[in-house]
PDB file of all heavy atoms in Angstrom:
ATOM      1  N   LEU N 508       0.842  -1.190   0.000  1.00 97.00           N
ATOM      2  CA  LEU N 508       0.000   0.000   0.000  1.00 97.00           C
ATOM      3  C   LEU N 508       0.881   1.245   0.000  1.00 97.00           C
ATOM      4  O   LEU N 508       1.986   1.244   0.542  1.00 97.00           O
ATOM      5  CB  LEU N 508      -0.927   0.008   1.215  1.00 97.00           C
ATOM      6  CG  LEU N 508      -1.893  -1.161   1.337  1.00 97.00           C
ATOM      7  CD1 LEU N 508      -2.823  -0.962   2.533  1.00 97.00           C
ATOM      8  CD2 LEU N 508      -2.696  -1.360   0.065  1.00 97.00           C
ATOM      9  N   PHE N 509       0.368   2.279  -0.615  1.00 96.00           N
ATOM     10  CA  PHE N 509       1.108   3.522  -0.792  1.00 96.00           C
ATOM     11  C   PHE N 509       0.425   4.651  -0.031  1.00 96.00           C
ATOM     12  O   PHE N 509      -0.780   4.611   0.208  1.00 96.00           O
ATOM     13  CB  PHE N 509       1.185   3.875  -2.281  1.00 96.00           C
ATOM     14  CG  PHE N 509       1.945   2.872  -3.086  1.00 96.00           C
ATOM     15  CD1 PHE N 509       1.331   1.706  -3.519  1.00 96.00           C
ATOM     16  CD2 PHE N 509       3.278   3.073  -3.400  1.00 96.00           C
ATOM     17  CE1 PHE N 509       2.036   0.756  -4.255  1.00 96.00           C
ATOM     18  CE2 PHE N 509       3.986   2.133  -4.129  1.00 96.00           C
ATOM     19  CZ  PHE N 509       3.365   0.973  -4.564  1.00 96.00           C
ATOM     20  N   VAL N 510       1.209   5.666   0.328  1.00 96.00           N
ATOM     21  CA  VAL N 510       0.685   6.846   1.003  1.00 96.00           C
ATOM     22  C   VAL N 510       1.075   8.078   0.177  1.00 96.00           C
ATOM     23  O   VAL N 510       2.168   8.142  -0.393  1.00 96.00           O
ATOM     24  CB  VAL N 510       1.223   6.947   2.455  1.00 96.00           C
ATOM     25  CG1 VAL N 510       2.740   7.091   2.493  1.00 96.00           C
ATOM     26  CG2 VAL N 510       0.547   8.068   3.216  1.00 96.00           C
ATOM     27  N   ASN N 511       0.158   9.026   0.100  1.00 96.00           N
ATOM     28  CA  ASN N 511       0.441  10.296  -0.564  1.00 96.00           C
ATOM     29  C   ASN N 511       1.327  11.114   0.371  1.00 96.00           C
ATOM     30  O   ASN N 511       0.953  11.352   1.521  1.00 96.00           O
ATOM     31  CB  ASN N 511      -0.876  11.023  -0.846  1.00 96.00           C
ATOM     32  CG  ASN N 511      -0.677  12.308  -1.620  1.00 96.00           C
ATOM     33  OD1 ASN N 511       0.363  12.948  -1.553  1.00 96.00           O
ATOM     34  ND2 ASN N 511      -1.691  12.685  -2.365  1.00 96.00           N
ATOM     35  N   ARG N 512       2.490  11.528  -0.098  1.00 91.00           N
ATOM     36  CA  ARG N 512       3.430  12.254   0.760  1.00 91.00           C
ATOM     37  C   ARG N 512       2.800  13.497   1.374  1.00 91.00           C
ATOM     38  O   ARG N 512       3.137  13.888   2.477  1.00 91.00           O
ATOM     39  CB  ARG N 512       4.738  12.576   0.039  1.00 91.00           C
ATOM     40  CG  ARG N 512       4.646  13.658  -0.969  1.00 91.00           C
ATOM     41  CD  ARG N 512       5.987  14.170  -1.535  1.00 91.00           C
ATOM     42  NE  ARG N 512       6.844  13.153  -2.047  1.00 91.00           N
ATOM     43  CZ  ARG N 512       8.103  12.962  -1.624  1.00 91.00           C
ATOM     44  NH1 ARG N 512       8.631  13.721  -0.713  1.00 91.00           N
ATOM     45  NH2 ARG N 512       8.831  12.005  -2.135  1.00 91.00           N
ATOM     46  N   ASP N 513       1.842  14.121   0.675  1.00 91.00           N
ATOM     47  CA  ASP N 513       1.194  15.325   1.201  1.00 91.00           C
ATOM     48  C   ASP N 513       0.328  15.022   2.419  1.00 91.00           C
ATOM     49  O   ASP N 513       0.050  15.910   3.224  1.00 91.00           O
ATOM     50  CB  ASP N 513       0.333  15.990   0.126  1.00 91.00           C
ATOM     51  CG  ASP N 513       1.164  16.527  -1.034  1.00 91.00           C
ATOM     52  OD1 ASP N 513       2.388  16.748  -0.852  1.00 91.00           O
ATOM     53  OD2 ASP N 513       0.599  16.712  -2.125  1.00 91.00           O
ATOM     54  N   ASP N 514      -0.126  13.784   2.567  1.00 93.00           N
ATOM     55  CA  ASP N 514      -0.989  13.408   3.689  1.00 93.00           C
ATOM     56  C   ASP N 514      -0.213  13.145   4.978  1.00 93.00           C
ATOM     57  O   ASP N 514      -0.819  12.990   6.033  1.00 93.00           O
ATOM     58  CB  ASP N 514      -1.801  12.149   3.338  1.00 93.00           C
ATOM     59  CG  ASP N 514      -2.811  12.401   2.242  1.00 93.00           C
ATOM     60  OD1 ASP N 514      -3.120  13.582   1.963  1.00 93.00           O
ATOM     61  OD2 ASP N 514      -3.294  11.416   1.652  1.00 93.00           O
ATOM     62  N   LEU N 515       1.097  13.088   4.903  1.00 90.00           N
ATOM     63  CA  LEU N 515       1.896  12.728   6.076  1.00 90.00           C
ATOM     64  C   LEU N 515       2.103  13.888   7.046  1.00 90.00           C
ATOM     65  O   LEU N 515       2.457  13.669   8.201  1.00 90.00           O
ATOM     66  CB  LEU N 515       3.245  12.158   5.643  1.00 90.00           C
ATOM     67  CG  LEU N 515       3.158  10.797   4.952  1.00 90.00           C
ATOM     68  CD1 LEU N 515       4.506  10.393   4.380  1.00 90.00           C
ATOM     69  CD2 LEU N 515       2.648   9.742   5.921  1.00 90.00           C
ATOM     70  N   GLY N 516       1.902  15.115   6.590  1.00 83.00           N
ATOM     71  CA  GLY N 516       2.035  16.266   7.478  1.00 83.00           C
ATOM     72  C   GLY N 516       3.422  16.459   8.041  1.00 83.00           C
ATOM     73  O   GLY N 516       3.577  16.863   9.189  1.00 83.00           O
ATOM     74  N   LEU N 517       4.439  16.171   7.252  1.00 79.00           N
ATOM     75  CA  LEU N 517       5.817  16.306   7.719  1.00 79.00           C
ATOM     76  C   LEU N 517       6.360  17.701   7.394  1.00 79.00           C
ATOM     77  O   LEU N 517       5.871  18.372   6.491  1.00 79.00           O
ATOM     78  CB  LEU N 517       6.689  15.234   7.067  1.00 79.00           C
ATOM     79  CG  LEU N 517       6.298  13.805   7.447  1.00 79.00           C
ATOM     80  CD1 LEU N 517       7.084  12.804   6.622  1.00 79.00           C
ATOM     81  CD2 LEU N 517       6.515  13.555   8.923  1.00 79.00           C
ATOM     82  N   PRO N 518       7.369  18.132   8.118  1.00 79.00           N
ATOM     83  CA  PRO N 518       7.930  19.470   7.896  1.00 79.00           C
ATOM     84  C   PRO N 518       8.482  19.640   6.481  1.00 79.00           C
ATOM     85  O   PRO N 518       8.952  18.681   5.859  1.00 79.00           O
ATOM     86  CB  PRO N 518       9.065  19.562   8.921  1.00 79.00           C
ATOM     87  CG  PRO N 518       8.835  18.466   9.893  1.00 79.00           C
ATOM     88  CD  PRO N 518       8.049  17.420   9.196  1.00 79.00           C
ATOM     89  N   GLU N 519       8.421  20.860   5.988  1.00 78.00           N
ATOM     90  CA  GLU N 519       8.992  21.211   4.686  1.00 78.00           C
ATOM     91  C   GLU N 519      10.465  20.831   4.681  1.00 78.00           C
ATOM     92  O   GLU N 519      11.167  20.993   5.673  1.00 78.00           O
ATOM     93  CB  GLU N 519       8.846  22.722   4.454  1.00 78.00           C
ATOM     94  CG  GLU N 519       9.275  23.169   3.077  1.00 78.00           C
ATOM     95  CD  GLU N 519       8.371  22.675   1.972  1.00 78.00           C
ATOM     96  OE1 GLU N 519       7.162  22.500   2.219  1.00 78.00           O
ATOM     97  OE2 GLU N 519       8.872  22.462   0.859  1.00 78.00           O
ATOM     98  N   GLY N 520      10.929  20.285   3.574  1.00 73.00           N
ATOM     99  CA  GLY N 520      12.328  19.893   3.459  1.00 73.00           C
ATOM    100  C   GLY N 520      12.613  18.466   3.882  1.00 73.00           C
ATOM    101  O   GLY N 520      13.745  18.015   3.786  1.00 73.00           O
ATOM    102  N   THR N 521      11.591  17.737   4.359  1.00 77.00           N
ATOM    103  CA  THR N 521      11.777  16.339   4.721  1.00 77.00           C
ATOM    104  C   THR N 521      12.165  15.548   3.472  1.00 77.00           C
ATOM    105  O   THR N 521      11.554  15.702   2.421  1.00 77.00           O
ATOM    106  CB  THR N 521      10.486  15.744   5.329  1.00 77.00           C
ATOM    107  OG1 THR N 521      10.177  16.472   6.516  1.00 77.00           O
ATOM    108  CG2 THR N 521      10.651  14.274   5.648  1.00 77.00           C
ATOM    109  N   VAL N 522      13.191  14.745   3.590  1.00 81.00           N
ATOM    110  CA  VAL N 522      13.660  13.936   2.467  1.00 81.00           C
ATOM    111  C   VAL N 522      13.439  12.469   2.817  1.00 81.00           C
ATOM    112  O   VAL N 522      13.860  12.006   3.877  1.00 81.00           O
ATOM    113  CB  VAL N 522      15.155  14.198   2.169  1.00 81.00           C
ATOM    114  CG1 VAL N 522      15.646  13.315   1.039  1.00 81.00           C
ATOM    115  CG2 VAL N 522      15.380  15.664   1.833  1.00 81.00           C
ATOM    116  N   PHE N 523      12.781  11.756   1.927  1.00 84.00           N
ATOM    117  CA  PHE N 523      12.535  10.334   2.114  1.00 84.00           C
ATOM    118  C   PHE N 523      13.651   9.539   1.449  1.00 84.00           C
ATOM    119  O   PHE N 523      14.265   9.996   0.477  1.00 84.00           O
ATOM    120  CB  PHE N 523      11.199   9.935   1.483  1.00 84.00           C
ATOM    121  CG  PHE N 523      10.015  10.546   2.179  1.00 84.00           C
ATOM    122  CD1 PHE N 523       9.495  11.757   1.762  1.00 84.00           C
ATOM    123  CD2 PHE N 523       9.424   9.909   3.251  1.00 84.00           C
ATOM    124  CE1 PHE N 523       8.412  12.317   2.394  1.00 84.00           C
ATOM    125  CE2 PHE N 523       8.343  10.456   3.899  1.00 84.00           C
ATOM    126  CZ  PHE N 523       7.832  11.671   3.466  1.00 84.00           C
ATOM    127  N   GLN N 524      13.901   8.331   1.937  1.00 85.00           N
ATOM    128  CA  GLN N 524      14.908   7.492   1.305  1.00 85.00           C
ATOM    129  C   GLN N 524      14.590   7.281  -0.173  1.00 85.00           C
ATOM    130  O   GLN N 524      15.496   7.279  -1.005  1.00 85.00           O
ATOM    131  CB  GLN N 524      15.016   6.151   2.024  1.00 85.00           C
ATOM    132  CG  GLN N 524      15.693   6.255   3.360  1.00 85.00           C
ATOM    133  CD  GLN N 524      15.912   4.905   4.015  1.00 85.00           C
ATOM    134  OE1 GLN N 524      15.377   3.884   3.600  1.00 85.00           O
ATOM    135  NE2 GLN N 524      16.714   4.895   5.059  1.00 85.00           N
ATOM    136  N   ALA N 525      13.326   7.138  -0.500  1.00 85.00           N
ATOM    137  CA  ALA N 525      12.936   6.942  -1.903  1.00 85.00           C
ATOM    138  C   ALA N 525      13.368   8.119  -2.772  1.00 85.00           C
ATOM    139  O   ALA N 525      13.630   7.952  -3.963  1.00 85.00           O
ATOM    140  CB  ALA N 525      11.426   6.733  -2.005  1.00 85.00           C
ATOM    141  N   ASP N 526      13.455   9.317  -2.176  1.00 88.00           N
ATOM    142  CA  ASP N 526      13.881  10.505  -2.924  1.00 88.00           C
ATOM    143  C   ASP N 526      15.372  10.476  -3.240  1.00 88.00           C
ATOM    144  O   ASP N 526      15.830  11.148  -4.166  1.00 88.00           O
ATOM    145  CB  ASP N 526      13.583  11.782  -2.132  1.00 88.00           C
ATOM    146  CG  ASP N 526      12.112  11.983  -1.845  1.00 88.00           C
ATOM    147  OD1 ASP N 526      11.278  11.438  -2.592  1.00 88.00           O
ATOM    148  OD2 ASP N 526      11.797  12.678  -0.862  1.00 88.00           O
ATOM    149  N   LEU N 527      16.139   9.729  -2.455  1.00 92.00           N
ATOM    150  CA  LEU N 527      17.591   9.711  -2.620  1.00 92.00           C
ATOM    151  C   LEU N 527      18.068   8.710  -3.675  1.00 92.00           C
ATOM    152  O   LEU N 527      19.148   8.880  -4.248  1.00 92.00           O
ATOM    153  CB  LEU N 527      18.263   9.386  -1.282  1.00 92.00           C
ATOM    154  CG  LEU N 527      18.017  10.376  -0.142  1.00 92.00           C
ATOM    155  CD1 LEU N 527      18.641   9.861   1.150  1.00 92.00           C
ATOM    156  CD2 LEU N 527      18.561  11.747  -0.492  1.00 92.00           C
ATOM    157  N   ILE N 528      17.279   7.676  -3.920  1.00 93.00           N
ATOM    158  CA  ILE N 528      17.687   6.649  -4.886  1.00 93.00           C
ATOM    159  C   ILE N 528      17.851   7.291  -6.263  1.00 93.00           C
ATOM    160  O   ILE N 528      16.960   7.966  -6.760  1.00 93.00           O
ATOM    161  CB  ILE N 528      16.666   5.493  -4.945  1.00 93.00           C
ATOM    162  CG1 ILE N 528      16.457   4.865  -3.566  1.00 93.00           C
ATOM    163  CG2 ILE N 528      17.076   4.446  -5.980  1.00 93.00           C
ATOM    164  CD1 ILE N 528      17.660   4.218  -2.953  1.00 93.00           C
ATOM    165  N   GLY N 529      19.023   7.072  -6.851  1.00 94.00           N
ATOM    166  CA  GLY N 529      19.323   7.627  -8.167  1.00 94.00           C
ATOM    167  C   GLY N 529      20.046   8.961  -8.137  1.00 94.00           C
ATOM    168  O   GLY N 529      20.542   9.424  -9.167  1.00 94.00           O
ATOM    169  N   LEU N 530      20.133   9.600  -6.977  1.00 95.00           N
ATOM    170  CA  LEU N 530      20.790  10.909  -6.897  1.00 95.00           C
ATOM    171  C   LEU N 530      22.310  10.773  -6.982  1.00 95.00           C
ATOM    172  O   LEU N 530      22.886   9.806  -6.501  1.00 95.00           O
ATOM    173  CB  LEU N 530      20.440  11.610  -5.582  1.00 95.00           C
ATOM    174  CG  LEU N 530      19.038  12.161  -5.444  1.00 95.00           C
ATOM    175  CD1 LEU N 530      18.881  12.851  -4.085  1.00 95.00           C
ATOM    176  CD2 LEU N 530      18.704  13.138  -6.565  1.00 95.00           C
ATOM    177  N   PRO N 531      22.951  11.780  -7.572  1.00 97.00           N
ATOM    178  CA  PRO N 531      24.413  11.780  -7.611  1.00 97.00           C
ATOM    179  C   PRO N 531      25.008  12.115  -6.246  1.00 97.00           C
ATOM    180  O   PRO N 531      24.424  12.869  -5.462  1.00 97.00           O
ATOM    181  CB  PRO N 531      24.738  12.887  -8.626  1.00 97.00           C
ATOM    182  CG  PRO N 531      23.560  13.801  -8.587  1.00 97.00           C
ATOM    183  CD  PRO N 531      22.372  12.934  -8.278  1.00 97.00           C
ATOM    184  N   VAL N 532      26.173  11.535  -5.984  1.00 97.00           N
ATOM    185  CA  VAL N 532      26.939  11.836  -4.775  1.00 97.00           C
ATOM    186  C   VAL N 532      28.227  12.495  -5.237  1.00 97.00           C
ATOM    187  O   VAL N 532      28.992  11.912  -6.019  1.00 97.00           O
ATOM    188  CB  VAL N 532      27.247  10.552  -3.969  1.00 97.00           C
ATOM    189  CG1 VAL N 532      28.111  10.872  -2.755  1.00 97.00           C
ATOM    190  CG2 VAL N 532      25.965   9.862  -3.563  1.00 97.00           C
ATOM    191  N   THR N 533      28.446  13.743  -4.785  1.00 97.00           N
ATOM    192  CA  THR N 533      29.622  14.500  -5.230  1.00 97.00           C
ATOM    193  C   THR N 533      30.439  14.975  -4.040  1.00 97.00           C
ATOM    194  O   THR N 533      29.927  15.103  -2.925  1.00 97.00           O
ATOM    195  CB  THR N 533      29.192  15.738  -6.056  1.00 97.00           C
ATOM    196  OG1 THR N 533      28.317  16.543  -5.258  1.00 97.00           O
ATOM    197  CG2 THR N 533      28.491  15.333  -7.335  1.00 97.00           C
ATOM    198  N   ASP N 534      31.705  15.256  -4.300  1.00 96.00           N
ATOM    199  CA  ASP N 534      32.583  15.807  -3.286  1.00 96.00           C
ATOM    200  C   ASP N 534      32.192  17.264  -3.054  1.00 96.00           C
ATOM    201  O   ASP N 534      32.087  18.042  -4.006  1.00 96.00           O
ATOM    202  CB  ASP N 534      34.039  15.706  -3.740  1.00 96.00           C
ATOM    203  CG  ASP N 534      34.991  16.095  -2.638  1.00 96.00           C
ATOM    204  OD1 ASP N 534      35.157  17.317  -2.404  1.00 96.00           O
ATOM    205  OD2 ASP N 534      35.568  15.192  -2.002  1.00 96.00           O
ATOM    206  N   ALA N 535      31.964  17.640  -1.814  1.00 96.00           N
ATOM    207  CA  ALA N 535      31.512  18.989  -1.479  1.00 96.00           C
ATOM    208  C   ALA N 535      32.543  20.053  -1.820  1.00 96.00           C
ATOM    209  O   ALA N 535      32.187  21.196  -2.091  1.00 96.00           O
ATOM    210  CB  ALA N 535      31.156  19.069   0.005  1.00 96.00           C
ATOM    211  N   ASP N 536      33.823  19.696  -1.830  1.00 95.00           N
ATOM    212  CA  ASP N 536      34.870  20.678  -2.078  1.00 95.00           C
ATOM    213  C   ASP N 536      35.298  20.738  -3.537  1.00 95.00           C
ATOM    214  O   ASP N 536      35.435  21.822  -4.103  1.00 95.00           O
ATOM    215  CB  ASP N 536      36.077  20.383  -1.186  1.00 95.00           C
ATOM    216  CG  ASP N 536      35.701  20.432   0.294  1.00 95.00           C
ATOM    217  OD1 ASP N 536      34.964  21.362   0.693  1.00 95.00           O
ATOM    218  OD2 ASP N 536      36.112  19.525   1.042  1.00 95.00           O
ATOM    219  N   SER N 537      35.487  19.587  -4.165  1.00 95.00           N
ATOM    220  CA  SER N 537      36.014  19.565  -5.543  1.00 95.00           C
ATOM    221  C   SER N 537      34.927  19.395  -6.604  1.00 95.00           C
ATOM    222  O   SER N 537      35.167  19.629  -7.774  1.00 95.00           O
ATOM    223  CB  SER N 537      37.035  18.428  -5.694  1.00 95.00           C
ATOM    224  OG  SER N 537      36.368  17.171  -5.625  1.00 95.00           O
ATOM    225  N   GLY N 538      33.737  18.933  -6.199  1.00 95.00           N
ATOM    226  CA  GLY N 538      32.670  18.681  -7.166  1.00 95.00           C
ATOM    227  C   GLY N 538      32.808  17.350  -7.888  1.00 95.00           C
ATOM    228  O   GLY N 538      32.019  17.026  -8.772  1.00 95.00           O
ATOM    229  N   THR N 539      33.808  16.542  -7.520  1.00 95.00           N
ATOM    230  CA  THR N 539      34.023  15.233  -8.134  1.00 95.00           C
ATOM    231  C   THR N 539      32.796  14.345  -7.943  1.00 95.00           C
ATOM    232  O   THR N 539      32.284  14.231  -6.827  1.00 95.00           O
ATOM    233  CB  THR N 539      35.247  14.533  -7.511  1.00 95.00           C
ATOM    234  OG1 THR N 539      36.396  15.355  -7.697  1.00 95.00           O
ATOM    235  CG2 THR N 539      35.485  13.159  -8.119  1.00 95.00           C
ATOM    236  N   LEU N 540      32.340  13.734  -9.022  1.00 97.00           N
ATOM    237  CA  LEU N 540      31.204  12.816  -8.947  1.00 97.00           C
ATOM    238  C   LEU N 540      31.713  11.450  -8.508  1.00 97.00           C
ATOM    239  O   LEU N 540      32.555  10.841  -9.171  1.00 97.00           O
ATOM    240  CB  LEU N 540      30.508  12.702 -10.306  1.00 97.00           C
ATOM    241  CG  LEU N 540      29.382  11.673 -10.399  1.00 97.00           C
ATOM    242  CD1 LEU N 540      28.216  12.070  -9.494  1.00 97.00           C
ATOM    243  CD2 LEU N 540      28.920  11.520 -11.840  1.00 97.00           C
ATOM    244  N   TYR N 541      31.185  10.940  -7.380  1.00 96.00           N
ATOM    245  CA  TYR N 541      31.576   9.631  -6.884  1.00 96.00           C
ATOM    246  C   TYR N 541      30.686   8.514  -7.411  1.00 96.00           C
ATOM    247  O   TYR N 541      31.075   7.362  -7.427  1.00 96.00           O
ATOM    248  CB  TYR N 541      31.562   9.604  -5.352  1.00 96.00           C
ATOM    249  CG  TYR N 541      32.633  10.466  -4.727  1.00 96.00           C
ATOM    250  CD1 TYR N 541      32.296  11.452  -3.816  1.00 96.00           C
ATOM    251  CD2 TYR N 541      33.976  10.282  -5.035  1.00 96.00           C
ATOM    252  CE1 TYR N 541      33.275  12.236  -3.215  1.00 96.00           C
ATOM    253  CE2 TYR N 541      34.962  11.067  -4.453  1.00 96.00           C
ATOM    254  CZ  TYR N 541      34.605  12.044  -3.544  1.00 96.00           C
ATOM    255  OH  TYR N 541      35.576  12.820  -2.967  1.00 96.00           O
ATOM    256  N   GLY N 542      29.487   8.845  -7.820  1.00 96.00           N
ATOM    257  CA  GLY N 542      28.543   7.851  -8.328  1.00 96.00           C
ATOM    258  C   GLY N 542      27.125   8.248  -7.971  1.00 96.00           C
ATOM    259  O   GLY N 542      26.853   9.398  -7.627  1.00 96.00           O
ATOM    260  N   HIS N 543      26.225   7.264  -8.047  1.00 97.00           N
ATOM    261  CA  HIS N 543      24.808   7.495  -7.767  1.00 97.00           C
ATOM    262  C   HIS N 543      24.317   6.506  -6.708  1.00 97.00           C
ATOM    263  O   HIS N 543      24.718   5.344  -6.716  1.00 97.00           O
ATOM    264  CB  HIS N 543      23.979   7.351  -9.041  1.00 97.00           C
ATOM    265  CG  HIS N 543      24.248   8.431 -10.029  1.00 97.00           C
ATOM    266  ND1 HIS N 543      25.337   8.422 -10.862  1.00 97.00           N
ATOM    267  CD2 HIS N 543      23.572   9.578 -10.289  1.00 97.00           C
ATOM    268  CE1 HIS N 543      25.331   9.517 -11.609  1.00 97.00           C
ATOM    269  NE2 HIS N 543      24.261  10.230 -11.281  1.00 97.00           N
ATOM    270  N   ILE N 544      23.431   6.973  -5.837  1.00 97.00           N
ATOM    271  CA  ILE N 544      22.874   6.122  -4.790  1.00 97.00           C
ATOM    272  C   ILE N 544      21.928   5.117  -5.436  1.00 97.00           C
ATOM    273  O   ILE N 544      21.012   5.495  -6.157  1.00 97.00           O
ATOM    274  CB  ILE N 544      22.122   6.949  -3.730  1.00 97.00           C
ATOM    275  CG1 ILE N 544      23.084   7.920  -3.053  1.00 97.00           C
ATOM    276  CG2 ILE N 544      21.451   6.026  -2.699  1.00 97.00           C
ATOM    277  CD1 ILE N 544      22.415   8.908  -2.118  1.00 97.00           C
TER     278      ILE N 544
END
């Protein structure tokens, strides 16, 4: 079963693990791309 994220009433800026899958991971100082989650 699925839930609509808007129905959860969580604070603005909340990041779910599902939101992170596929995102790039980069070095904060050099900008080097390490890969994707």
Side-chain angles (χ1 to χ4, degrees):
L508 300 184
F509 296 82
V510 62
N511 184 333
R512 74 170 53 236
D513 295 339
D514 293 343
L515 292 172
L517 296 172
E519 186 68 31
T521 299
V522 178
F523 293 92
Q524 287 185 348
D526 299 336
L527 298 175
I528 303 297
L530 287 181
V532 177
T533 57
D534 188 282
D536 300 317
S537 69
T539 301
L540 175 65
Y541 292 124
H543 292 80
I544 299 173

